[in-house]
Structure formats: C-alpha cells, structure tokens
Amino acid sequence: MTEQGKERGTSLLDKSAAELADLLAAGETTSVAITQACLDRIAAVDTDIHAFLHVDAEGALAQAAASDARRSAGEPASPLDGVPIAVKDVLATEGLPTTCGSKILEGWIPPYDATVVERLKDAGLPILGKTNMDEFAMGSSTEHSAYGPTHNPWDLDRIPGGSGGGSAAAVAAFEAPLAIGTDTGGSIRQPGAVTGTVGLKPTYGGISRYGLVAMANSLDQVGPVTRTVLDSALLHDVIGGHDPRDSTSIDHPWASFAEAARTGAAGDLSGVRVGVITELGGEGYQAGVQQRFDESVALLVKAGAEVVEVSCPNFVHALAAYYLIMPSEASSNLARFDAMRYGLRVLPDGDPSAEDVMRASRDAGFGDEVKRRIILGTYALSSGYYDAYYGQAQKIRTLISRDFEAAFEKADVLVSPTAPTTAFKLGEKLDDPVSMYLNDIATIPANLAGVPGLSLPAGLAPEDGLPVGFQILAPALADDRLYRVGAALEALLEAEWGGPLLDQAPSLSDVEPVETPGGAA
Ligand code: GLN
C-alpha cells in the first residue's frame, strides 16, 4: 500500500486522463505507476464505495507494462495509451467475469471482447476491472445489483445513480480516471449528474453495441464516463466509429471530438443558439437543481450564446412510452437466459423437465426489478394488447422525434437539468418503482429519438451540498456540439469554483485500507 492509495491531493490520481496522457508523453511518469496508484486507491476505498465487482490487478499491470514498452520504443498506440480505465460489467471482456449485476450470470467468463473493449485494448488502455450496476442495467440507483449497492463518494449513505453507478462512482472516487458506461434511458448521464462527473450518450449507432449484453436494443448505447469534457471526447475518439459487427452502427466520417472540446474550452459561444426545454424544468425539479441550471444558462449567455425557450410538448409522455418499449425489448432479450447456455442452472428435485429447470433457474437468478419488467414487457407484447400498449408507445416515440426536429430548427443544442433531484438516500425509493423511474424523466427523450446527450457538473445544490447535472442535447450525428458547448461551460464554471467540482468531494482518506475484492494489491 502506497500513500497514494489513501490520500487524494497531490498524486497521479488527481490528474485528468488528458493530463496523464501529457505526463506519459513527456516521459514524466509510467503507465505502471498510474495503474498501481489506481489499484492502491481501489484497495483503500472500494470496500466503502463498492464501485467494482471484479478487479483485474494482474491483467491491468501487464497491460500497463506493455504500454510502457511501446512508449519506450517510441510507438504509443493512441493518445490515451497507458491511461487505465474501468468497464461496466455489461460489456463482454474475454477472460474476465461479466455478470451484468445478476446472479444468473455469476461466474460467466465471456470467450470474446466487446468491440469497445477491443478498441480500448488496441489503444493501450489498461483495464482495471468491471464496475457494479443495476441488474441488466435496470434502475437508477445501482441498488438493484445482485451484489449489493454502490455508494456515492459525496455521501456514502446516498445512491450513485444508476444503472451505471459503479462506473460513475469509480471515477468520482478517483479509483479510475476513465470508465465506460451504457445508457438506455439515462444510465450514463444520471449517475454523472449525481456524482459530479461527466457522462455522454452518443448518437444511436455512434459507438458499437457488439458485445454489450442487450437490455433494449433500440435504446442502448455505450459511452464515456469521465471527470472532464475533454477526457470524454478523447475516450469517444478511441471507442467510437463504424463497426461492421453491429448492424445498427453508423458508417459516418466522425471528426475529432477532442478537437471540438479544445475549441470549446476557449469559451466563445457566439453564434450558438441554445434552447431551454420548457417541459424539462420547473415544477417537480428540486429548487437547488433548478437554480444551478439557471446559473449555467446565464453563463452560456455570457459566453455569447443566444438563449431561446423551446417547447417539446410530447416529452411529457416519454416516460410512459419508454416503460413500455424498454420492457418489451428486454422481455425478448432476457429469454436467452434459460439455464441452458450461460451461467446459473438450478436443478429442482425429482425428474425435472427442461421447463422446470428454466423456471427454477430464472426464479432464483433474476431479481425483482428484472422480473417486473419481463412481466410488463410480455404483457405489452401479447397479441390482445400489442396495439394498445406497444403500438401506442411507438407512435409517441415518433412524436418525440418530431418535437426534437422542430426544436433543433430553433436551436443548435437543447439544455435541461440532467436529473430532477440530487442523489437520494439508499433505500429511499427502492420499494417505489415509479418514483425510481421518474429520475430519468429528462434523459429518456434522447434515447427514444436516438440523439446524443452530455451531462456535466453544474455545481452543488445549496440545500444539500450535492452535485447537480447539466444536460446538453444535440441533433443526431452532431455529438461534436456537445463537446464544444460542454467544454465552454465547464471552463466558465471551473473559473467560478476555482477548480474542478470534484476537488470539493470528501477525500475518503480516513477510510481504512483493505484487500481489494478480486485480489488487487
Ligand atoms: N433508469 C432507467 C431504467 O431503469 C435507465 C436505465 C439505463 O439507461 N440502462 O430503465
């Protein structure tokens, strides 16, 4: 155990991925040193945070050593070569457990890498481990993980958001400079909002889904989880782009997102039209969330942006449509967990039929939320109700896309608070599914329409001192605008705070070091 594991403040852990990349390029540190610092930090704080389901210390250090060798030979594989990363446990990783936060996949070790994981490896990013999540990415708090919840580094009694609470908490607790998340209805952006981190959901088809265990294929997207907007852009440049193995992947000549973020950081937004979405704010939004949002909008005006108010009247139906479409697709996807091909198999006594084994295995292997959604989805798709529920929801989806189209005629980007409240207490909404679902009211429309969205920290709510997220949305294929506007706002906000928001987070240095789950250091 080095001191770096215990103390944040002056160490490599505090650096952004871009800063680490610069230090590596200048020969001032090594990937092994950075990776070891992260593993030490994980060993020191992760029993309290529980961001990781599996830590691969040995694998990460071997990848780090290979990165250092490439660098000594003058052949770094990418701008992020040597910068370690954590991966949400819903992406297939060859040789490393992949559970999706579910008992039904306990012990499953995929024989292949997801495209995103393959790209991380090709670009030289050591993989620290797999992060905790709500089971099969269903939830907004990470409390639906079969392996116990993740805790918010700002307040250990509070949720880190979900479903990707593990990835967001790992980055917010300085256990990893970068992480990968997935976002079906907000699972990258909402955890970003409540942990004071940056999260981006790309344009649908912008980042490969190959090897992402599907929850709802028409909504799911992989994306970066980081501490800065530039880091998100750098990571997006590494993992994005066409993949012939994903039939929904877009073959588009993406320009450098890092370039867009660097342009934005200069802080000039003259000529940019920003639309404030009427329906995503005001009543139902915590006062401090609304206040920080309004202040950020004022900063955009100061940077030269022209702010208009836009109405998206069908957004009020987005949550209802999502909670029919998502469970419908999930009920079909989760049929593959039948105890025959992967993971858990429960054998009832006597002479059980295949159906008996499936029933017993699914009963024992799936948690309540997953069962709830399978039942809901199966019902919505059943022949007597298909038109009334699934068909209607698809019509709403079209209307929401049209609302976006109309709004993007008036504005280049749209903005809203990312989530209606700051992090709530663990247990507070666990028995009330609808109040849990309401957390995604502002993030879901982007998934239904396939447009990209970014959440970045907008400050701390005055009433509870917890992080507030600011959401920026752009038209499909215009992800670069999120980076430009996001980096500008981030620069202006940090000038007011005198540094990154996460500098104000508890250091967790009083946490007693323990053995890392998974056997690290
Ligand atoms: N919280 C939403 C849900 O429970 C979104 C989940 C996600 O984006 N994976 O479905």
Side-chain angles (χ1 to χ4, degrees):
M1 171 65 48
T2 65
E3 276 309 294
Q4 274 174 347
K6 287 186 71 179
E7 283 295 342
R8 231 182 66 216
T10 54
S11 71
L12 288 169
L13 297 172
D14 296 312
K15 309 269 183 247
S16 69
E19 289 165 346
L20 292 171
D22 287 346
L23 289 176
L24 286 164
E28 284 169 27
T29 189
T30 62
S31 179
V32 168
I34 300 168
T35 304
Q36 189 61 57
C38 290
L39 292 168
D40 289 349
R41 175 75 177 168
I42 293 169
V45 303
D46 209 56
T47 29
D48 284 77
I49 302 292
H50 195 220
F52 285 87
L53 291 179
H54 181 82
V55 177
D56 183 23
E58 206 181 306
L61 286 169
Q63 291 160 32
S67 166
D68 290 335
R70 272 192 303 278
R71 194 155 309 260
S72 312
E75 290 166 357
S78 78
L80 290 178
D81 194 342
V83 180
I85 189 162
V87 176
K88 189 176 179 183
D89 206 25
V90 69
L91 286 137
T93 41
E94 186 181 348
L96 282 188
T98 299
T99 67
C100 300
S102 182
K103 286 281 177 213
I104 211 154
L105 277 177
E106 191 163 20
W108 183 55
I109 301 199
Y112 72 106
D113 278 327
T115 294
V116 163
V117 172
E118 192 178 275
R119 288 188 182 173
L120 293 175
K121 287 183 178 169
D122 288 348
L125 288 83
I127 295 175
L128 295 165
K130 306 295 292 291
T131 57
N132 198 13
M133 56 184 283
D134 285 297
E135 186 174 6
F136 287 106
M138 298 178 190
S140 304
S141 69
T142 317
E143 292 167 292
H144 294 308
S145 168
Y147 303 98
T150 297
H151 300 257
N152 191 321
W154 288 84
D155 177 346
L156 297 177
D157 293 330
R158 291 180 188 263
I159 60 106
S163 64
S167 284
V171 169
F174 296 82
E175 295 172 84
L178 299 169
I180 295 289
T182 62
D183 191 310
T184 304
S187 286
I188 291 177
R189 290 164 287 157
Q190 182 260 5
V194 300
T195 58
T197 55
V198 176
L200 175 124
K201 179 199 93 71
T203 294
Y204 185 81
I207 297 178
S208 171
R209 288 187 300 113
Y210 178 78
L212 160 63
V213 180
M215 162 154 93
N217 317 47
S218 77
L219 302 159
D220 298 340
Q221 283 296 291
V222 180
V225 175
T226 61
R227 288 196 289 268
T228 71
V229 174
L230 175 60
D231 284 1
S232 178
L234 286 163
L235 183 53
H236 195 164
D237 283 337
V238 164
I239 60 176
H242 184 239
D243 177 13
R245 291 183 293 188
D246 170 1
S247 62
T248 59
S249 163
I250 302 172
D251 195 356
H252 178 75
W254 301 98
S256 158
F257 295 120
E259 208 41 58
R262 288 198 171 103
T263 308
D268 179 12
L269 292 179
S270 21
V272 177
R273 296 170 305 160
V274 174
V276 176
I277 305 172
T278 318
E279 287 75 11
L280 301 183
E283 202 190 325
Y285 286 72
Q286 189 180 318
V289 167
Q290 187 66 44
Q291 182 188 331
R292 293 301 179 225
F293 172 75
D294 293 341
E295 289 165 3
S296 292
V297 172
L299 282 179
L300 293 176
V301 174
K302 226 167 106 185
E306 180 196 326
V307 173
V308 292
E309 178 142 343
V310 294
S311 174
C312 293
N314 293 293
F315 281 19
V316 296
H317 306 300
L319 199 71
Y322 173 87
Y323 277 100
L324 288 166
I325 294 169
M326 194 285 305
S328 297
E329 293 186 22
S331 70
S332 161
N333 277 317
L334 268 55
R336 68 170 61 88
F337 301 105
D338 58 3
M340 301 295 141
R341 286 171 279 195
Y342 327 80
L344 184 76
R345 178 177 298 169
V346 176
L347 288 173
D349 290 341
D351 184 17
S353 66
E355 281 77 14
D356 293 335
V357 175
M358 284 181 209
R359 193 176 303 116
S361 303
R362 288 166 70 82
D363 185 33
F366 286 139
D368 288 350
E369 184 62 21
V370 173
K371 287 177 184 158
R372 190 177 292 130
R373 296 199 195 193
I374 292 174
I375 292 167
L376 187 62
T378 311
Y379 184 78
L381 289 177
S382 60
S383 61
Y385 293 105
Y386 187 92
D387 288 337
Y389 295 124
Y390 186 74
Q392 283 297 100
Q394 290 292 17
K395 287 181 191 158
I396 298 287
R397 191 170 188 175
T398 302
L399 294 176
I400 285 166
S401 293
R402 288 191 194 149
D403 277 1
F404 270 118
E405 278 162 31
F408 284 129
E409 290 196 350
K410 299 193 196 107
D412 304 305
V413 294
L414 303 177
V415 295
S416 76
T418 309
T421 67
T422 56
F424 46 92
K425 289 243 163 74
L426 285 157
E428 198 179 312
K429 301 195 176 177
L430 201 49
D431 299 327
D432 182 358
V434 174
S435 92
M436 188 75 90
Y437 299 167
L438 281 166
N439 283 288
D440 295 308
I441 197 137
T443 46
I444 277 173
N447 300 78
L448 289 171
V451 304
L454 173 86
S455 177
L456 75 154
L460 304 177
E463 59 270 41
D464 55 22
L466 292 166
V468 172
F470 186 90
Q471 176 174 241
I472 311 172
L473 304 166
L477 301 181
D479 306 41
D480 59 320
R481 291 185 202 170
L482 304 179
Y483 289 119
R484 180 167 169 219
V485 177
L489 178 57
E490 178 184 63
L492 295 164
L493 285 165
E494 290 190 358
E496 300 217 325
W497 303 327
L501 189 70
L502 275 161
D503 281 359
Q504 298 173 45
S507 73
L508 306 171
S509 58
D510 50 347
V511 166
E512 282 303 308
V514 285
E515 282 298 302
T516 309

